[in-house]
């Protein structure tokens, strides 16, 4: 099946993934959305009609369960979290043209149309299926009953259903053919290789409906089925444009902007976007997106920032302390796009002070202030024709090279390098200013000559700032708007729209332009900035646990009883908080106990947030676990049996009321429960097949 000829000219359509509403937005979500925003702005500045879409993915069992856990209806719960995404995007100055919610009628209509078209064309049929389902990934996995999900390690559930199936197996060859003919379709290369290997490994038909829950879009004509959440979600890219609508204006928009130029996604959802989605589109006879580009993960404390790991940082925290532009700049400059990158408050503040406060911000305020001091704020008529060898000619040449290099690197999505290029122009202009020292008149220089030098230097520096500012607008919309105004150029958003930022030939800042008063751009971040951000996060973690996990603001009943921290009696389960796992005990060795004795042991569900080896203790792991209502540190003697990285995110059972004790100088606050297996007493951690809320008590 070929990609029907694309007829659109000079239009550009970019999308973010639509975000699940089971968790509040964090920096990981903000990252993908900010990247799209910067690209969308840059296209608009080039005069290209652009459509930028984002939204929320609100159906499925995961959302249904999160809502139940929070004691709210799925619709209410989804609306609340979706609202948070929407208002955060506004706060970050994002210019999405639309925000789709999969619970909207326009979406439902489009998804049902897609399903019907595929069924009518014979690509969807009814069959029955029993398999292991991973609720977290919303995916059937190839694994025996009782085993964890091979992708995310969480427990799977055995699900047996009569389902509708999509004939994915029929698209194996067509997909490979397509990938080969369009090497730019999957980017970067590493993802393309992964996807191709997956498809070459063989494709089975895909179950595209569920009957085990109801929170979804009904299958047209067979309403006890809801449409598979990934088919529902992927379709947002066309339903938001108007696919399935009867309104001619919407149909026109669909024709104008589809196919998408870029679906920007996180790398973990490549398979859905590069295998299922193109297969659905081929089957429906619709054109395929031009590219699916995967960004790497934003890591915090060395693991993927995510709600389930519990290591999230909110964008609001950074915005509150350093501003939205600081966050945008940092994410694009610091992370090599396509790769994983670390987020730390230290690196953020360092970049902010180095590049923004002392770099660009300082250059602008020096130049604008001098323009006011020496020329009453009016750009002087100073740029005499440049001659070879004059320093001004060097600045002009540097600016022109920068324009070309920056654009090429930015368009190639090498954002970090493009900003490095642009900031080296800032450094060059800074050096030129310092070397020309327009604020200092040597005695041998006449007043006239000095005024001419001041005019030339300030006009040159201001022109270089104008160019830098125009190029930086997609990344720093708020601060470049201030600079544009200070240079007397009006509103930069309008300049972007009118095409003024497109042709950036040297000499665009005209003599006689009246500059506005200098205003602070990036006040230097003081030492306490990091601490302030950390405090904001800590405060938020407490309230977020209460609001989203369903725990009320008071601790759960059992915890509220505050039992005296009595040491547990001889533990029945193996105590793995110690360096050596105890050998397995024959049950008969223990005297019988009454229920009141058992009740003294407070067993609770906790999730491992951090797991690392303890230096010089080869059996010990240091764990940080989340009980939903509090976090704590536990030392467990399982290092010889479990890789710490594999434990992160895993739910375990802990003895929560064990008296604290010190091991290797570190306090252990509780004990992880495990079965003790074989002669060696190898620990096997206790877990659950169903999803269980944090803090739930075992009794
Ligand atoms: N709802 C699906 C996507 C459906 S698209 C048709 C989904 N949602 S999600 O909320 O779990 O994640 C969506 C996206 O958020 C990721 O693909 C990625 O773009 C972004 N990120 C979430 N956490 C992230 C990081 N820690 N780092 C980088 N991006 C991250 O999957």
């Amino acid at each position: 099946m070929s990609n029907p000829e694309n007829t659109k000219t000079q239009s550009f359509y970019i999308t973010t993934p639509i975000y699940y509403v089971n968790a509040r937005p964090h920096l990981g979500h903000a990252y993908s959305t900010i990247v799209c925003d910067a690209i969308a702005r840059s296209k608009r500045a080039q005069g290209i009609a652009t459509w930028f879409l984002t939204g929320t993915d609100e159906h499925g069992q995961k959302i249904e369960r999160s809502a139940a856990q929070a004691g709210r209806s799925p619709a209410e719960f989804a609306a609340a979290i979706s609202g948070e995404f929407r208002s955060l995007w506004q706060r970050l100055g994002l210019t999405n043209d639309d925000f789709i919610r999969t619970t909207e009628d326009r979406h439902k209509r489009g998804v049902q149309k897609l399903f019907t078209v595929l069924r009518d064309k014979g690509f969807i049929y009814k069959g029955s299926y029993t398999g292991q389902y991973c609720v977290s990934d919303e995916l059937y996995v190839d694994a025996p009953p009782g085993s964890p999900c091979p992708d995310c390690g969480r427990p799977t559930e055995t699900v047996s259903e009569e389902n509708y199936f999509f004939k994915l197996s029929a698209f194996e060859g067509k997909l490979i053919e397509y990938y080969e003919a369009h090497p730019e379709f999957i980017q970067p290369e590493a993802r393309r290789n992964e996807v191709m290997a997956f498809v070459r490994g063989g494709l089975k038909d895909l179950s595209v409906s569920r009957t085990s829950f109801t929170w979804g879009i009904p299958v047209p004509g067979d309403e006890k089925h809801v449409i598979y959440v990934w088919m529902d979600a992927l379709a947002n890219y066309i339903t938001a444009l108007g696919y399935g609508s009867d309104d001619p204006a919407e149909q026109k928009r669909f024709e104008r902007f589809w196919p998408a130029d870029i679906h920007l996604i996180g790398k973990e959802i490549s398979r859905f976007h590069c295998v299922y989605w193109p297969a659905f589109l081929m089957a429906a006879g619709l054109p395929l997106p031009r590219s699916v580009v995967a960004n790497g993960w934003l890591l915090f404390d060395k693991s993927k920032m995510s709600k389930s790991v519990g290591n999230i940082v909110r964008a609001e925290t950074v915005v509150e302390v350093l501003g939205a532009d600081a966050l945008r700049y940092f994410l694009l400059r610091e992370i090599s796009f396509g790769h994983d990158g670390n987020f730390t408050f230290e690196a953020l503040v360092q970049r902010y002070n180095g590049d923004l406060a002392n770099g660009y911000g300082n250059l602008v305020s020096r130049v604008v202030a001098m323009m006011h001091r020496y020329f009453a704020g009016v750009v002087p008529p100073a740029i005499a024709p440049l001659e070879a060898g004059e320093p001004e000619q060097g600045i002009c040449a540097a600016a022109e090279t920068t324009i070309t290099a920056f654009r090429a690197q930015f368009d190639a999505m090498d954002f970090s390098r493009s900003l490095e290029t642009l900031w080296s122009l800032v450094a060059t202009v800074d050096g030129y200013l310092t070397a020309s020292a327009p604020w200092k008149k040597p005695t041998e220089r006449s007043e006239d000559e000095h005024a001419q030098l001041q005019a030339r230097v300030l006009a040159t520096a201001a022109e270089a700032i104008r160019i830098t500012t125009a190029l930086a607008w997609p990344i720093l919309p708020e601060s470049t708007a201030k600079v544009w105004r200070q240079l007397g150029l009006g509103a930069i958003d309008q300049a972007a729209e009118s095409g003024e930022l497109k042709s950036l030939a040297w000499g665009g800042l005209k003599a006689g332009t009246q500059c506005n008063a200098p205003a602070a751009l990036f006040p230097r971040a003081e030492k306490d900035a990091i601490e302030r951000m950390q405090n904001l996060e800590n405060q938020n973690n407490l309230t977020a646990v209460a609001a989203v996990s369903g725990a009320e603001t008071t601790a759960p009943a059992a915890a509220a009883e505050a039992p005296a921290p009595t040491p547990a009696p001889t533990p029945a389960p193996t105590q793995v908080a110690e360096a050596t796992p105890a050998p397995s005990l024959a049950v008969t060795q223990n005297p019988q106990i009454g229920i009141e004795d058992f009740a003294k042991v407070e067993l609770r569900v906790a999730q491992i947030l951090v797991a690392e080896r303890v230096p010089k203790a080869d059996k010990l792991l240091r764990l940080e676990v989340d009980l939903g209502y509090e976090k704590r540190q536990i030392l467990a003697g399982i290092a010889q049996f479990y890789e710490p990285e594999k434990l992160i995110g895993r739910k375990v059972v802990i003895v929560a009321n064990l008296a604290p004790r010190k091991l290797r100088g570190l306090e252990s606050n509780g004990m992880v429960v495990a079965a003790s297996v074989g002669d060696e007493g190898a620990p096997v951690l206790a877990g659950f097949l169903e999803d269980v809320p944090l803090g739930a008590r075992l009794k």
Side-chain angles (χ1 to χ4, degrees):
M1 207 156 304
S2 69
N3 189 5
E5 203 43 51
N6 168 39
T7 48
K8 69 177 185 162
T9 50
Q10 281 302 290
S11 70
F12 182 83
Y13 178 34
I14 186 164
T15 64
T16 71
I18 48 170
Y19 302 104
Y20 283 133
V21 290
N22 64 324
R24 289 175 159 172
H26 59 69
L27 271 188
H29 306 119
Y31 175 51
S32 300
T33 323
I34 286 172
V35 169
C36 283
D37 184 64
I39 298 173
R41 284 175 182 268
S42 141
K43 294 291 173 192
R44 289 189 198 111
Q46 289 168 43
I48 299 171
T50 298
W51 197 260
F52 163 26
L53 174 72
T54 186
T56 42
D57 187 355
E58 307 188 7
H59 289 132
Q61 202 164 6
K62 179 153 66 178
I63 313 297
E64 196 178 62
R65 286 188 183 174
S66 298
Q69 229 177 310
R72 300 166 86 175
S73 75
E76 233 177 32
F77 185 78
I81 305 266
S82 177
E84 290 195 32
F85 274 94
R86 199 190 278 252
S87 61
L88 176 61
W89 297 162
Q90 274 165 10
R91 202 161 163 205
L92 290 176
L94 305 185
T95 54
N96 49 298
D97 297 282
D98 194 359
F99 185 103
I100 180 116
R101 298 184 54 198
T102 56
T103 45
E104 288 174 73
D105 280 347
R106 59 172 174 157
H107 177 70
K108 182 176 162 186
R109 210 171 37 228
V111 171
Q112 290 186 325
K113 171 171 169 182
L114 179 66
F115 193 97
T116 309
V117 167
L118 298 183
R119 191 169 48 185
D120 291 351
K121 286 180 176 241
F123 290 111
I124 286 181
Y125 63 92
K126 212 170 185 178
S128 74
Y129 188 76
T130 301
Q132 292 307 113
Y133 193 69
C134 174
V135 175
S136 176
D137 290 348
E138 298 281 12
L139 187 69
Y140 276 108
V141 297
D142 215 355
S147 53
C149 167
D151 283 346
C152 72
R154 295 195 185 85
T156 55
E157 296 177 17
T158 306
V159 175
S160 195
E161 288 181 295
E162 187 193 52
N163 282 344
Y164 285 91
F165 285 84
F166 172 73
K167 280 192 187 163
L168 186 63
S169 56
F171 291 88
E172 213 174 288
K174 287 169 191 141
L175 285 167
I176 293 287
E177 220 174 88
Y178 191 82
Y179 303 147
E180 277 168 354
H182 299 88
E184 73 298 341
F185 178 59
I186 307 171
Q187 299 175 41
E189 191 68 19
R191 300 285 89 76
R192 177 173 141 86
N193 295 339
E194 259 169 34
V195 169
M196 287 183 76
F198 174 78
V199 176
R200 286 205 169 103
L203 294 177
K204 288 192 196 142
D205 288 354
L206 180 71
S207 158
V208 287
S209 73
R210 300 283 180 271
T211 48
S212 51
F213 62 94
T214 54
W215 181 239
I217 299 178
V219 166
D222 195 357
E223 311 243 319
K224 73 173 195 297
H225 291 262
V226 293
I227 296 173
Y228 175 41
V229 69
W230 271 101
M231 177 176 268
D232 168 344
L234 288 161
N236 91 88
Y237 301 131
I238 53 176
T239 61
L241 284 183
Y243 176 82
S245 166
D246 299 330
D247 179 344
E250 297 217 349
Q251 289 167 351
K252 211 157 141 210
R253 195 173 55 213
F254 178 69
E255 275 154 32
R256 174 148 200 220
F257 287 106
W258 188 256
D261 293 86
I262 299 180
H263 285 319
L264 189 101
I265 58 163
K267 62 180 179 181
E268 76 289 355
I269 53 176
S270 305
R271 194 198 308 169
F272 302 101
H273 284 81
C274 304
V275 182
Y276 301 171
W277 183 225
F280 296 157
L281 290 168
M282 281 176 177
L286 290 168
L288 267 51
R290 295 232 174 69
S291 68
V292 177
V293 180
N295 61 253
W297 287 338
L298 197 59
L299 312 176
F300 190 64
D301 287 340
K302 302 202 181 82
S303 41
K304 183 191 176 203
M305 194 179 281
S306 87
K307 183 202 164 206
S308 53
V309 177
N311 60 346
I312 61 170
V313 175
R314 295 166 322 130
E316 291 90 330
T317 293
V318 180
V319 175
E320 198 159 316
V321 177
L322 299 176
D325 278 3
L327 176 62
R328 297 170 65 102
Y329 179 82
F330 177 79
L331 293 174
L332 289 166
R333 174 67 183 88
E334 192 75 9
I335 295 167
S336 165
F337 185 76
H339 300 272
D340 292 351
N342 244 320
F343 177 85
T344 65
F345 289 119
E346 289 75 10
L348 169 69
V349 168
Q350 205 176 348
R351 277 261 172 239
Y352 173 86
N353 277 337
D355 295 7
L356 298 178
N358 298 341
Y360 176 60
N362 186 43
L363 175 67
V364 172
S365 70
R366 283 166 89 193
V367 170
V368 176
M370 282 193 274
M371 200 83 92
H372 280 275
R373 194 172 319 135
Y374 304 128
F375 297 100
V378 178
V379 177
I383 315 184
L386 296 174
E387 278 170 29
E390 280 178 351
E392 289 71 27
Q393 213 230 5
I395 298 296
C396 164
E400 281 172 349
T401 323
T402 302
I403 296 172
T404 317
F406 172 87
R407 284 186 170 152
Q409 290 158 350
F410 190 94
D411 287 347
M413 302 182 94
D414 195 349
F415 307 116
S416 177
R417 213 142 70 87
S418 71
L419 287 170
E420 196 182 337
T421 301
L422 190 54
W423 256 249
S424 81
L425 177 63
V426 170
T428 304
V429 179
D430 219 25
Y432 158 73
L433 205 60
T434 306
S436 339
W439 54 86
K440 200 169 71 193
K441 187 181 97 54
T443 40
E444 68 277 11
R445 197 185 285 156
S446 74
E447 291 289 340
D448 243 24
E449 278 169 350
H450 187 60
Q452 268 179 32
L453 174 125
Q454 284 180 319
R456 205 171 64 221
V457 172
L458 290 181
T460 303
E463 173 60 357
I465 289 174
R466 182 187 73 90
I467 288 173
T468 306
T469 304
L471 294 175
W473 174 72
I475 301 101
L476 299 174
E478 223 174 274
S479 22
T480 52
K482 289 186 195 160
V483 177
W484 209 250
R485 244 178 279 120
Q486 286 180 36
L487 291 179
L489 296 168
I492 197 166
D493 288 6
Q494 269 169 27
E497 218 164 281
S498 68
E500 208 184 306
L501 304 186
K502 190 172 148 190
S503 39
L504 279 181
W506 181 264
L509 183 62
K510 300 292 175 227
T513 307
Q514 174 67 54
C515 296
N516 289 306
L521 290 171
F522 303 103
R524 227 191 115 74
E526 298 306 330
K527 282 208 182 77
D528 68 347
I530 296 178
E531 209 177 308
R532 278 169 59 210
M533 288 189 276
Q534 280 164 341
N535 286 343
L536 282 171
E537 277 310 294
N538 292 341
Q539 275 165 22
N540 179 67
N541 280 347
L542 294 176
T543 41
V545 165
V548 176
S549 77
E552 300 303 330
T553 29
T554 54
E561 287 161 27
T566 348
T570 314
T574 307
Q575 173 163 352
V576 289
E578 289 173 359
T580 320
S584 42
L585 300 172
V587 201
T588 48
Q589 286 180 344
N590 283 325
Q592 286 189 331
I593 58 165
I595 187 75
E596 67 289 355
D597 283 326
F598 176 70
K600 286 185 194 154
V601 186
E602 198 190 326
L603 295 169
R604 286 190 183 276
V605 177
Q607 185 166 40
I608 299 178
L609 304 181
V610 176
E612 54 190 29
R613 296 184 190 280
V614 175
K616 299 200 196 105
D618 49 0
K619 293 181 182 162
L620 269 191
L621 287 186
R622 189 184 78 79
L623 307 176
E624 274 172 40
V625 303
D626 187 2
L627 277 156
Y629 55 92
E630 71 173 36
K631 297 190 177 134
R632 39 165 101 180
Q633 170 172 287
I634 296 182
L635 300 174
I638 55 173
Q640 290 170 315
F641 302 92
Y642 284 95
E643 289 295 327
E645 310 76 57
K646 299 223 170 102
L647 288 173
I648 292 169
R650 182 153 170 177
K651 286 187 178 166
V652 290
V653 176
I654 70 159
V655 180
N657 62 338
L658 195 62
R661 53 181 301 194
K662 277 207 164 168
L663 290 167
R664 301 269 171 171
L666 295 169
E667 189 169 273
S668 182
N669 233 314
M671 177 185 104
V672 182
V673 172
S676 175
V677 177
D679 294 337
E680 252 192 318
V684 177
L685 295 176
F688 298 90
L689 292 179
E690 281 85 15
D691 199 16
V692 225
L694 302 186
R697 185 160 182 188
L698 282 80
K699 26 186 174 177

